[in-house]
Amino acid sequence: MRTVVLTMKASVIEMFLAVPQINCDVKAGKIINPEFIVKCPAGCQDPKYHVYGTDVYASYSSVCGAAVHSGVLDNSGGKILVRKVAGQSGYKGSYSNGVQSLSLPRWRESFIVLESKPKKGVTYPSALTYSSSKSPAAQAGETTKVYQRPPIPGTTAQPVTLMQLLAVTVAVATPTTLPRPSPSAASTTSIPRPQPVGHRSQEMGDMDSWKPGSVLLDEGLVPKEELSTQSLEPVSLGDPNCKIDLSFLIDGSTSIGKRRFRIQKQLLADVAQALDIGPAGPLMGVVQYGDNPATHFNLKTHTNSRDLKKAIEKITQRGGLSNVGRAISFVTKNFFSKANGNRSGAPNVVVVMVDGWPTDKVEEASRLARESGINIFFITIEGAAENEKQYVVEPNFANKAVCRTNGFYSLHVQSWFGLHKTLQPLVKRVCDTDRLACSKTCLNSADIGFVIDGSSSVGTGNFRTVLQFVTNLTKEFEISDTDTRIGAVQYTYEQRLEFGFDKYSSKPDILNAIKRVGYWSGGTSTGAAINFALEQLFKKSKPNKRKLMILITDGRSYDDVRIPAMAAHLKGVITYAIGVAWAAQEELEVIATHPARDHSFFVDEFDNLYQYVPRIIQNICTEFNSQPRN
């Protein structure tokens, strides 16, 4: 009998841990469950599966299509965690990960997509509950449930925990289904399960043919699947004016003591509350350092201020030394990854809290962090007394570490009891994304104009090799309308704008545009081409962008290059000159920005162009990173 009971328990647990599979066309609004894990098939990148919104999606969207758009899945499919949230007043479309999402004026229910990491103690449904018995998911071989009547008023269905599963195994011996958990059972999720509101109206027709902009929105009507769920309790999506990815590096060294460690945790909780954490706003994780650093939770572990504050309260002190440099290196290499919830377009911010002084050096680790685009803030408490300064490993460590030495990135308090005074200035500064200068890196903050020689001496085959060289360089940069932008000019005796900086805003589109550039053939007027690029490309460059011109030629110019080159230098355009075969070395040096040895290159054959890609990128980044930090 004992063997039978254990087998029965194992089979019940396995049944509840099964992950349901859905098709690409299943919309979130058809699924009543407020939070669930599903498996998506391959091929959901197809544009026929419509997606509405960015990061937060309208429930009229394809669940799996949204997962691909968000970057949680690729086109090969896989498991995802879906969480329903409140409806939005508007949804902005965007192109991401091969999926073009659409805009929508408003919708009454939304959802976000996360990686399929279940919450501890929560068992997600093995069979989804749909608003219609004719669910598309049934075609994927999934068991579905259909509500027959509303639940007892005043009750809310709760997620089933593993302990509750074990408690009801005796009832499985009968052919009936598992009993519903008691309404009084403590909930393990912050989002209440929605309840049905009765039968769907059949008079609205099939909403699958609905398109954005329909008058139905203005009439306040919603698709039929939306009628089968009540509005969820509003959940904050975060402050969109402070969309940052934030890591707190907290001091867990032995010297800090338990009382000061609690004060430090209180500041973290206050920051979490003040920032209004959410998927459309700031996200926050915590790393504690002592001898060695350890992540308590990453950016996607807690997506609202309430859950984050509870998690902060549970943090315990680790003890050990105060190895801040090692902790900064750890965060640079491990914390801001896509797997940990890092979002493209959201500035990376690290706030380092230090009691006294570090027990290792921070300068080199901080430099690497800054060059990775991480904005480092320091909060220092109770610095070294005069008789303690001999023990400080690295004097003036905060100024050597922060993103800029202008006072914006560092806060100091004389006593732990004054730490609360840093709350308002800290929150204001980390949310001031226009001043987060370290978010700008050598790869995401330039307008790059390629000026390409299309003269007769190049030839069709070599011209394709030049375009491949341009492609290889472009691939190294982060491309978007707010990051690096690319433009191109081709020239002979005449000049032609192939595409401007504002023409394409994604890397795939730029690479395709480069591939489509046709060989022109003609003479070589390099000076006129530089003037043309200044007028047609760089005159339209954004004020906050570095302006880079990369000119590729295979011969001596028929016109003067000195005056146009000087005009480019005076206008702040950093010019790289790459010569091939019969190009004149002295002309390349005139065209190139000073020092010429870092900005001019000569290649004897077109086929060897590719070898110079790493060196050019290195020189661009070295020059960027050598800019003064004050």
Side-chain angles (χ1 to χ4, degrees), residues 515-531:
K515 203 178 295 182
R516 292 193 301 267
V517 172
Y519 175 48
W520 205 358
S521 185
T524 308
S525 294
T526 305
I530 294 172
N531 282 332

Side-chain angles (χ1 to χ4, degrees), residues 419-436:
L419 186 62
H420 65 280
K421 296 177 183 178
T422 64
L423 174 62
Q424 292 304 324
L426 178 64
V427 169
K428 184 177 180 180
R429 293 180 193 186
V430 298
C431 289
D432 190 354
T433 53
D434 289 336
R435 294 188 65 183
L436 295 181

